[in-house]
Amino acid sequence: MTTDRAMTPSHARALRTPCPTPTLAMARASAPGTLNTAAGGALPSSEGTLDALFTRAAERRPNAVAVQDARGELSFAEAELQATQLASVLVHGGVQLGDPVIIHCDDHQQALVAQLAVLKAGGVCVPAAHGHNRAQLRAIAAISGVSTVLCSRSTRGAWPRRYSVLPLDDQGTTRLLTVHRREPALPLSHPREVAFLMLFGGGPEGPVGYLTDHRAWRLATAQRIRAAGPAPHRVFVAGPPADPRALSAMWWAFACGGSLRALPDTGAPAARDGMPCAAVFSPEEYDAVMATLPIRPRLVQLLGGPVPAALVARHFAALPGTRLRADFAPVDGALPWTSREVGPTGEAVSPGALGTAVPHVRVRVLDRNGRHQEVGREGELCAAGDALPFDAVRRPGHSAPAWEESALLRSRVSVRRTADGGFELAGPA
């Protein structure tokens, strides 16, 4: 095993192993900390959570649209009220601090309310994007050890009776939320506790779940706000609810005081009111929708894997006035390791450029023995930092390879460090 002390996270956390009654919990940091905001100030620990961010937005603009999708609009005030009611039901139903709860909804409105409720209850959101097959759902359930699922009526049938399942669009659930007493202790979240468990397909060892706290998401969002420039009033997504791009876009939108919008169907363009908008896609999603894109965003933010040169050329041919940024997020698909502003092809930039490390992320290029590689030498891109997942969870009975017992996250992507401090692909991704 190789451990690079410089890569060790600045704050220690401890994972409580899943018990026979399936649960995943994180120990609270011994001393509450503070969270630095994009403006350089500090928020008290009780205010540095994702759900607190949304609550403040709801207090400032209660009637503004938080989410719009094919089913209509949901205001900040409505989402806040529904999430508080649902969080109370979860707490009184036995969900404890650190318990994982799967979110498997078929629209963005329900997915938002479910996430807020789990976070307010002090639980861990385990996203299961709408469209996952049964094998993927079984992997998510096995890795997280969940017993509670928040879903839609359309996804209810995917979960056997051994799970406690609550369809959010069911009339019985609506009545339950309306009459249930509010838990006075809410919210129960804390910046240094786990907010999300994100599943990654993994390598030979199989799927892996990556744990991220509230602070990591807030730091990643603050970095995007700094890099993206003027705040968008709307952030569009094309993927299913609760997938990595939707989560990243949602928290970016709320931090900017804007709203999350599902990309309209082709032939049904979004309203043009002069307000700046942005869109978040994976490179694969953008390749599929670019030719029929029904909006004209100020910024297209790509998130996930490397960006092919052909996709860059198509973008600037179709949208010459639209900025293009690329964040490389090789593990969970949501929290970036590196970032870059993408210019038209033909500029003096390597087609495989990944950009430079984002703030609060420490990146290394290591050989197969874990040794640091110099500029120009090929190796695996590895990273750690406060703006990244801090721990991994595997299926029961599947232990981590010895190399992965260090503090490093492994990308399984071969890169080279460039002379300017950036990184570029050393071969096909």
Side-chain angles (χ1 to χ4, degrees):
M1 178 179 74
T2 301
T3 303
D4 183 347
R5 293 184 183 275
M7 303 288 285
T8 304
S10 61
H11 56 281
R13 311 169 179 91
L15 174 67
R16 286 191 240 146
T17 307
C19 303
T21 1
T23 182
L24 170 77
M26 298 301 303
R28 185 187 295 268
S30 57
T34 58
L35 174 70
N36 290 329
T37 65
L43 292 173
S45 61
S46 60
E47 298 181 6
T49 61
L50 294 172
D51 49 295
L53 180 154
F54 188 89
T55 298
R56 288 193 297 274
E59 291 170 348
R60 291 193 302 266
R61 304 169 62 232
N63 298 320
V65 175
V67 175
Q68 182 182 59
D69 58 17
R71 294 192 178 181
E73 298 178 345
L74 179 69
S75 72
F76 279 90
E78 291 169 335
E80 177 72 7
L81 174 61
Q82 293 177 27
T84 301
Q85 293 171 328
L86 180 56
S88 299
V89 170
L90 293 176
V91 170
H92 296 153
V95 171
Q96 301 180 21
L97 293 177
D99 279 356
V101 179
I102 282 180
I103 297 169
H104 188 206
C105 300
D106 64 8
D107 72 57
H108 293 280
Q109 297 184 37
Q110 293 174 28
L112 167 62
V113 171
Q115 289 174 62
L116 290 173
V118 173
L119 297 177
K120 286 176 181 292
V124 178
C125 296
V126 185
H130 185 235
H132 274 349
N133 59 39
R134 288 190 178 271
Q136 291 171 310
L137 296 178
R138 284 196 299 268
I140 292 172
I143 289 171
S144 62
V146 297
S147 59
T148 303
V149 178
L150 301 179
C151 64
S152 305
R153 286 181 297 175
S154 66
T155 57
R156 170 64 182 88
W159 301 99
R161 291 184 178 180
R162 66 177 178 272
Y163 296 100
S164 176
V165 180
L166 196 62
L168 300 188
D169 52 354
D170 183 80
Q171 291 184 355
T173 302
T174 302
R175 287 194 296 269
L176 174 65
L177 298 182
T178 302
V179 302
H180 202 86
R181 67 181 177 87
R182 174 172 175 170
E183 169 54 50
L186 297 176
L188 299 172
S189 53
H190 186 278
R192 296 297 182 93
E193 289 176 343
V194 189
F196 286 89
L197 171 63
M198 307 284 288
L199 190 71
F200 174 62
E205 302 83 24
V208 181
Y210 286 96
L211 296 162
T212 55
D213 57 18
H214 291 259
R215 187 169 184 261
W217 284 86
R218 297 293 303 271
L219 289 171
T221 299
Q223 159 57 19
R224 179 166 293 162
I225 291 173
R226 287 191 293 268
H233 289 257
R234 298 188 178 102
V235 180
F236 288 88
V237 290
D243 81 350
R245 272 77 56 193
L247 297 177
S248 179
M250 182 177 70
W251 294 114
W252 178 28
F254 297 155
C256 291
S259 63
L260 178 73
R261 305 292 176 114
L263 193 71
D265 294 332
T266 303
R272 298 178 182 273
D273 54 9
M275 292 186 177
C277 69
V280 177
F281 306 105
S282 69
E284 296 78 12
E285 287 171 344
Y286 192 42
D287 183 62
V289 304
M290 186 195 304
T292 57
L293 197 63
I295 60 172
R296 288 297 177 265
R298 174 184 59 82
L299 168 68
V300 170
Q301 174 68 63
L302 301 181
L303 179 63
V307 180
L311 183 62
V312 175
R314 288 180 57 210
H315 166 82
F316 285 104
L319 300 171
T322 297
R323 289 175 60 199
L324 182 65
R325 290 193 57 83
D327 287 352
F328 184 56
V331 168
D332 58 9
L335 299 181
W337 296 21
T338 64
S339 181
R340 70 180 178 117
E341 183 86 15
V342 183
T345 53
E347 294 187 356
V349 177
S350 166
L354 299 176
T356 56
V358 301
H360 305 286
V361 172
R362 300 175 296 281
V363 180
R364 299 287 187 271
V365 180
L366 305 179
D367 67 13
R368 63 182 59 192
N369 295 314
R371 293 188 295 259
H372 177 71
Q373 297 290 76
E374 300 298 331
V375 172
R377 298 286 299 275
E378 181 178 341
E380 183 180 3
L381 188 69
C382 302
D386 289 339
L388 290 182
F390 63 83
D391 208 347
V393 182
R394 289 172 172 77
R395 289 175 184 264
H398 289 69
S399 59
W403 202 98
E404 294 193 13
E405 291 178 2
S406 72
L408 297 171
L409 296 171
R410 299 185 61 183
S411 70
R412 295 181 173 84
V413 176
S414 182
V415 304
R416 297 185 186 89
R417 184 188 292 274
T418 58
D420 62 358
F423 302 88
E424 64 181 10
L425 295 175

